[in-house]
Coordinates of all heavy atoms in Angstrom, one line a residue:
F22 N 24.5 -96.7 40.6 CA 23.6 -96.1 39.5 C 22.2 -95.8 40.0 O 21.6 -94.8 39.7 CB 23.5 -97.1 38.3 CG 22.6 -96.7 37.2 CD1 23.0 -95.7 36.4 CD2 21.4 -97.3 37.1 CE1 22.2 -95.2 35.4 CE2 20.5 -96.8 36.1 CZ 20.9 -95.8 35.2
L23 N 21.6 -96.7 40.8 CA 20.3 -96.5 41.4 C 20.3 -95.3 42.3 O 19.3 -94.5 42.3 CB 19.8 -97.7 42.1 CG 19.4 -98.9 41.2 CD1 19.1 -100.1 42.1 CD2 18.2 -98.5 40.4
L24 N 21.3 -95.1 43.1 CA 21.4 -94.0 44.0 C 21.5 -92.7 43.2 O 20.9 -91.7 43.6 CB 22.6 -94.1 45.0 CG 22.5 -95.1 46.1 CD1 23.8 -95.3 46.9 CD2 21.4 -94.8 47.0
L25 N 22.3 -92.7 42.2 CA 22.4 -91.5 41.4 C 21.1 -91.2 40.6 O 20.7 -90.0 40.5 CB 23.6 -91.6 40.4 CG 25.0 -91.5 41.0 CD1 26.0 -91.9 39.9 CD2 25.2 -90.2 41.6
A26 N 20.4 -92.2 40.2 CA 19.1 -92.0 39.5 C 18.1 -91.5 40.5 O 17.2 -90.7 40.1 CB 18.7 -93.3 38.9
A27 N 18.1 -91.8 41.8 CA 17.2 -91.4 42.7 C 17.5 -90.0 43.3 O 16.6 -89.4 43.9 CB 17.0 -92.4 43.9
L28 N 18.7 -89.6 43.1 CA 19.1 -88.3 43.7 C 18.2 -87.1 43.3 O 17.9 -86.3 44.1 CB 20.6 -88.0 43.4 CG 21.2 -86.8 44.0 CD1 21.2 -87.0 45.5 CD2 22.6 -86.6 43.5
P29 N 17.8 -87.0 42.0 CA 17.0 -85.8 41.7 C 15.6 -85.8 42.4 O 15.0 -84.8 42.6 CB 16.7 -86.0 40.2 CG 17.9 -86.8 39.7 CD 18.3 -87.7 40.8
L30 N 15.1 -87.0 42.8 CA 13.9 -87.1 43.5 C 14.0 -86.4 44.9 O 12.9 -85.9 45.4 CB 13.4 -88.5 43.7 CG 13.1 -89.3 42.4 CD1 12.8 -90.7 42.7 CD2 12.0 -88.6 41.6
A31 N 15.1 -86.3 45.5 CA 15.3 -85.7 46.8 C 15.1 -84.2 46.7 O 14.8 -83.5 47.7 CB 16.7 -86.0 47.3
F32 N 15.2 -83.6 45.5 CA 15.1 -82.2 45.3 C 13.8 -81.7 44.7 O 13.7 -80.5 44.5 CB 16.3 -81.6 44.5 CG 17.6 -81.9 45.2 CD1 18.5 -82.9 44.8 CD2 18.0 -81.1 46.3 CE1 19.7 -83.2 45.4 CE2 19.2 -81.3 46.9 CZ 20.1 -82.4 46.5
V33 N 12.9 -82.6 44.5 CA 11.6 -82.3 43.9 C 10.7 -82.1 45.0 O 10.6 -82.8 46.0 CB 11.1 -83.5 43.0 CG1 9.7 -83.2 42.5 CG2 12.1 -83.7 41.8
S34 N 9.9 -81.0 44.9 CA 8.9 -80.7 46.0 C 7.5 -80.8 45.4 O 7.3 -80.7 44.2 CB 9.1 -79.3 46.5 OG 8.8 -78.3 45.6
C35 N 6.6 -81.1 46.3 CA 5.2 -81.2 45.8 C 4.7 -79.9 45.5 O 4.9 -78.9 46.2 CB 4.4 -81.8 47.0 SG 2.7 -82.0 46.6
S36 N 3.9 -79.8 44.4 CA 3.3 -78.5 44.0 C 2.3 -78.0 45.0 O 1.9 -76.8 44.9 CB 2.7 -78.6 42.6 OG 1.7 -79.5 42.6
D37 N 1.8 -78.9 45.9 CA 0.8 -78.4 46.8 C 1.3 -77.9 48.1 O 0.6 -77.6 49.0 CB -0.1 -79.6 47.1 CG -1.0 -80.0 45.9 OD1 -1.3 -79.2 45.1 OD2 -1.3 -81.2 45.9
D38 N 2.7 -77.8 48.2 CA 3.3 -77.3 49.4 C 2.8 -75.9 49.9 O 2.6 -75.7 51.0 CB 4.8 -77.3 49.3 CG 5.4 -78.7 49.4 OD1 4.7 -79.6 49.8 OD2 6.6 -78.8 49.1
N39 N 2.6 -75.0 48.9 CA 2.1 -73.7 49.2 C 0.9 -73.4 48.4 O 0.8 -72.4 47.7 CB 3.2 -72.7 48.9 CG 4.3 -72.7 50.0 OD1 4.1 -72.9 51.1 ND2 5.6 -72.6 49.5
D40 N -0.1 -74.2 48.5 CA -1.3 -74.1 47.8 C -2.2 -73.2 48.6 O -2.9 -73.6 49.5 CB -2.0 -75.4 47.5 CG -3.1 -75.4 46.5 OD1 -3.3 -74.3 45.9 OD2 -3.8 -76.4 46.4
L41 N -2.1 -71.9 48.4 CA -2.8 -70.9 49.2 C -4.3 -70.7 48.9 O -4.7 -70.9 47.8 CB -2.1 -69.5 49.1 CG -0.6 -69.5 49.5 CD1 0.0 -68.2 49.2 CD2 -0.5 -69.8 51.0
P42 N -5.0 -70.4 49.9 CA -6.5 -70.2 49.7 C -6.7 -69.0 48.8 O -6.0 -68.0 48.8 CB -7.0 -69.8 51.2 CG -6.0 -70.4 52.1 CD -4.7 -70.3 51.4
D43 N -7.8 -69.0 48.1 CA -8.3 -67.9 47.2 C -9.7 -67.5 47.8 O -10.7 -68.2 47.5 CB -8.4 -68.4 45.8 CG -8.7 -67.3 44.8 OD1 -8.7 -66.1 45.2 OD2 -9.1 -67.6 43.7
V44 N -9.7 -66.4 48.5 CA -10.9 -66.1 49.2 C -11.3 -64.6 49.0 O -10.4 -63.8 48.6 CB -10.8 -66.3 50.8 CG1 -10.5 -67.8 51.0 CG2 -9.7 -65.5 51.4

Side-chain angles (χ1 to χ4, degrees):
F22 177 73
L23 287 174
L24 287 173
L25 288 174
L28 189 60
L30 295 176
F32 297 102
V33 175
S34 68
C35 179
S36 64
D37 292 331
D38 284 348
N39 288 319
D40 193 9
L41 298 174
D43 184 16
V44 298

